[in-house]
Each structure stands twice: as structure tokens, then as C-alpha cells.
Amino acid sequence: MNKISISLIVCTRNRPNRIRALLTSIAGQIDELNHVVIVDSSTDHATEQLVHDFGGQNLVYCRSKAGLPYQRNVGIDFICHGADVPTVIAFLDDDITVPVDYFKNVALEFGANPNALAICGFDTNLKAPRSSRGRRLFGLRGDDDFGRVLNSGIAIPVYEIERLTQVDWAPGHSLNVRADVFNKIKFDPSIRMYGEDVDFCLRLGQVGPIYISPLLGVSHNPEPSGRDGTSAAEAFNAGFRYSLATTHPGKVSKAMVLVSSVALCLGYFAQGLLRWKMVDLLRSRGLALFLLRVVTGKPVVQSHTL
């Protein structure tokens, strides 16, 4: 069996404390990696200074313009155009921490599954929400849907896993992909908010299998004030799902995108009024703006935030 070599890419923006926590969590594993590339689009130099202070021969700092897909491609180009191209390129979000054997297990899984193009992690902090007939009817859940992209374009995470499982989609916070894949496929830099991992995996899945492994659990700790709580973010998410129906018509249905968006819009509005939760009212407003755009015939594209 050939040795599986790994390089890591972490994209970040204005979150040096998150980078410090991640680097601390992988400190005992850094020497096992070809490169650890921090791609930074910060508006100050705090992250750059942190990376330099942390030290390490294979720890590399790259400056980039903002945009997660664009930053990921910058890291890919740096690694793949070098002399020491690894077997696998790993991606971790800056708000991830990993167990001490994470990269050892990445190498073990790729060594044992030579057909896999990607073998990815899952968030151990996630708890599966309840499913119901109504949620399935409106395209918000499905049967046996963990790791699937539904015909409404909604991507369902893997919550619990006992064995290596083939999936449609793996979350971008812990993607591990064979490096030679990037000779053909990269991330779409026109996607400026959610969805770059779904788009990438749907395209990758047309080439070969994607798996999630029970050995690759990670701890995802997103910022409390995330992008979910704005009208523009919710409008973008719906617009992105609508665009998937054009790029992947066999997988996603425009009709089901609209049905699910109406259901979510009404649900968020009712919940926002009953519990007086402004975040849900904002989500409802964003979905209403998306639906209005479709009804009035205005273009809906992946990067459209209204």
C-alpha cells in the first residue's frame, strides 16, 4: 500500500482566536502533514502574526481576497503547483477542532478505500431533528436522508454514523479530497455565501464516490451571530437551491424548491410571531424576497443575495 500523504487548507477571515484553537488542536499532528496552508482574507494582520508566531516548517500563510470558494482554490493552486503534491488535500473550517488521531484516520480510510474520491468528516455536536410526514411532503426532509441532497435542493447532514457511508454531499467544514481531483474540478468562486460544498460535491459525485467516515468526527463551533440570521442569507440560500435545479436537473426540482421555500417562509413567519423571534422574521422576509423575484421573472443566480 502506498503511503497516503496529506496537506491541509484552512480559509479564514478576521478570526485569529479560531485559528489559534484549530492550530492548537492539530499541534501534535502538524509534522504528519506535507503542508498546513492558512489562506487569510482578513482586514488586519492579526491572523498573519499568529501564524508566524505559531511557527513550523510546513505551516504556510497565504493572503487572498475574500470569498470561501476563491480562497480554497488559492490553497489548492499553492499545493498542486508545488514539488511535493500530496495524495489528499484536507479542508477544515477555522471554527473546527479535531481529535488527536484525525489525520491518521484520514490516511487509514483512503488507504483502505482506493476508489473513494473524498472521505469526509461529520459534526459530532449535531443532533438529528425530528422528521414528520409534513416535512417530507414539503421537501424539508426525506426517508433515509442523512448525507443526501433532496429534490428541494436542501442538503441534509450526517448526524450519526456507524460505518463508512456513501453520500451525495459532505459538509465543507471537514472535506478530505484526493488531490488529483483538482486537475478537473475546483470550487465555484461565484458562490459567495452558503452552498459551495454542495455544488462541489454534486459535481464530484458524477466522477466517483464520496463517503463519510465514523472515524472522522469533528467539533464544529460556529459563531453565534452567523449568516443564517439575515434576509439576504436566506434569500441567497433559496436562490442557490433554485440554481441547482438548472445545473443538476436530475437531482433538484425547481417546483420542489418553490414548495419548500413557501413552507419555510410561512413556518418562519408563524414561529417569529408566536415566539417573537426576530431572526425567524428575517428568514421569512428573505424567502419572501426570493419568491417575489421568481414570480416577477427576475433572474435568480447562485451569487445573488438580493
Side-chain angles (χ1 to χ4, degrees):
M1 183 187 299
N2 293 330
K3 183 179 185 298
I4 303 296
S5 56
I6 304 170
S7 289
L8 170 64
I9 296 172
V10 181
C11 302
T12 191
R13 179 176 172 82
N14 294 335
R15 299 208 285 190
N17 290 337
R18 295 292 193 170
I19 289 293
R20 180 183 290 108
L22 186 149
L23 289 176
T24 300
S25 82
I26 67 169
Q29 305 176 70
I30 286 181
D31 291 341
E32 302 171 15
L33 303 172
N34 286 23
H35 306 92
V36 177
V37 182
I38 308 298
V39 185
D40 181 29
S41 63
S42 296
T43 55
D44 58 30
H45 296 282
T47 299
E48 181 178 9
Q49 187 61 53
L50 169 68
V51 172
H52 290 320
D53 290 346
F54 205 90
Q57 187 173 359
N58 57 353
L59 183 58
V60 178
Y61 177 87
C62 290
R63 194 83 181 178
S64 169
K65 73 177 185 180
L68 180 56
Y70 182 88
Q71 289 177 246
R72 283 183 166 162
N73 289 340
V74 167
I76 291 165
D77 288 343
F78 175 87
I79 290 170
C80 291
H81 292 165
D84 190 16
V85 179
T87 315
V88 173
I89 296 180
F91 300 87
L92 292 175
D93 280 0
D94 60 3
D95 51 10
I96 291 287
T97 55
V98 301
V100 295
D101 56 356
Y102 180 80
F103 292 106
K104 176 183 177 181
N105 286 333
V106 170
L108 285 173
E109 288 287 49
F110 275 98
N113 299 278
N115 70 317
L117 296 187
I119 304 178
C120 305
F122 66 100
D123 183 3
T124 57
N125 297 331
L126 280 183
K127 302 299 179 186
R130 64 180 181 85
S131 186
S132 68
R133 183 176 298 177
R135 293 181 70 83
R136 291 194 295 272
L137 177 66
F138 292 112
L140 306 178
R141 289 298 303 270
D143 296 318
D144 189 28
D145 58 7
F146 290 179
R148 303 299 171 198
V149 177
L150 306 183
N151 61 1
S152 61
I154 291 175
I156 307 295
V158 167
Y159 296 94
E160 298 174 3
I161 188 169
E162 296 180 354
R163 63 185 182 278
L164 192 71
T165 302
Q166 188 170 349
V167 294
D168 297 332
W169 161 78
H173 59 56
S174 51
L175 282 171
N176 304 292
V177 183
R178 289 195 183 273
D180 56 10
V181 161
F182 297 109
N183 294 328
K184 300 178 181 179
I185 301 173
K186 288 189 179 178
F187 293 91
D188 182 353
S190 74
I191 302 173
R192 303 187 187 281
M193 211 175 284
Y194 277 148
E196 88 293 335
D197 47 3
V198 176
D199 169 75
F200 175 79
C201 287
L202 286 178
R203 288 184 285 123
L204 180 61
Q206 294 174 344
V207 181
I210 302 168
Y211 298 94
I212 289 185
S213 167
L215 301 180
L216 301 181
V218 301
S219 178
H220 188 203
N221 301 287
E223 295 285 350
S225 55
R227 41 198 172 169
D228 278 333
T230 67
S231 292
E234 203 64 47
F236 173 87
N237 292 337
F240 171 73
R241 292 191 289 115
Y242 194 77
S243 72
L244 286 179
T246 300
T247 54
H248 301 278
K251 190 69 179 172
V252 180
S253 158
K254 283 187 177 180
M256 284 307 301
V257 172
L258 296 175
V259 167
S260 63
S261 297
V262 170
L264 285 170
C265 181
L266 296 175
Y268 283 137
F269 183 73
Q271 186 166 286
L273 286 181
L274 290 172
R275 301 181 182 178
W276 196 239
K277 292 178 66 175
M278 183 55 66
V279 65
D280 285 333
L281 293 175
L282 288 172
R283 288 170 174 163
S284 178
R285 178 178 180 272
L287 286 159
L289 289 172
F290 158 73
L291 291 166
L292 180 62
R293 193 171 193 91
V294 173
V295 169
T296 56
K298 293 183 178 179
V300 177
V301 295
Q302 288 181 0
S303 59
H304 216 104
T305 57
L306 301 183

